[in-house]
Amino acid sequence: MPIHRPVTTLAATALTAVAVALPATATAKPVAYEGRTSSGTVTFDRSGDTVSNLRGLVFVACASTKTSDTKAGAELFDPPGTVAMGHEVELEAEGDSAVASHRVTKTYRMTLTPGRRGVVRGELHLTFMLFEPMFDVFGTIDTNTFLCGGEAAFKAKPVARKR
């Protein structure tokens, strides 16, 4: 009866190498980043070429389509999910608004670019519409529509995790 030890040992070695390599990539901890925008701070977690938990502030200005009313303020930029770096990404999600008294559907557009020494540069663009009740010139209830938008650039560096 032939002995197949070399093949079995080779197969066991290959399976062990794959089993060791998989958990190493699956359990890689994301690196925390922090930076500044023109409106405040930006934070996120980076794992390879993806970013998650992106949160920052973007100053937005809103103009009415029916009246001369305006609104402005710093809006939370917090797109859902994970974003790939290296190209422009656009996401849409419902969220709270600082300039509106109700939830709105925000469109997040961002470009995140990895740089030297772990630095990440980014451009954030935020747009949304909001509707507010108003009385027209005849005293009947109407809706005032505001178009809102803003943008901010940032540079972020890795930081030590806070415990």
Side-chain angles (χ1 to χ4, degrees):
M1 194 158 40
I3 298 176
H4 297 289
R5 279 191 209 275
V7 173
T8 308
T9 305
L10 180 63
T13 304
L15 285 174
T16 304
V18 169
V20 168
L22 284 177
T25 57
T27 60
K29 292 190 177 186
V31 177
Y33 274 70
E34 190 173 294
R36 298 217 34 95
T37 71
S38 54
S39 306
T41 62
V42 64
T43 61
F44 56 88
D45 295 328
R46 178 182 179 185
S47 182
D49 283 339
T50 61
V51 168
S52 60
N53 302 320
L54 177 62
R55 294 178 64 86
L57 290 175
V58 174
F59 183 79
V60 297
C62 305
S64 171
T65 60
K66 292 186 175 184
T67 67
S68 60
D69 293 349
T70 59
K71 293 179 175 285
E75 277 293 323
L76 183 60
F77 191 94
D78 60 343
T82 302
V83 177
M85 291 196 295
H87 61 279
E88 186 174 270
V89 176
E90 186 172 302
L91 299 168
E92 201 172 84
E94 188 175 309
D96 294 326
S97 170
V99 295
S101 57
H102 53 83
R103 294 176 66 83
V104 296
T105 300
K106 295 179 178 180
T107 301
Y108 303 95
R109 201 173 81 235
M110 67 216 92
T111 304
L112 307 173
T113 309
R116 295 187 327 186
R117 297 186 183 145
V119 170
V120 173
R121 294 181 187 275
E123 294 178 14
L124 310 176
H125 304 271
L126 179 63
T127 57
F128 59 93
M129 272 194 319
L130 62 99
F131 306 97
E132 289 189 348
M134 64 173 248
F135 291 101
D136 64 14
V137 293
F138 304 109
T140 58
I141 192 85
D142 197 0
T143 303
N144 196 359
T145 305
F146 288 88
L147 302 175
C148 304
E151 57 188 40
F154 72 86
K155 179 172 114 176
K157 297 178 183 180
V159 295
R161 287 213 179 261
K162 296 174 183 160
R163 296 187 186 259

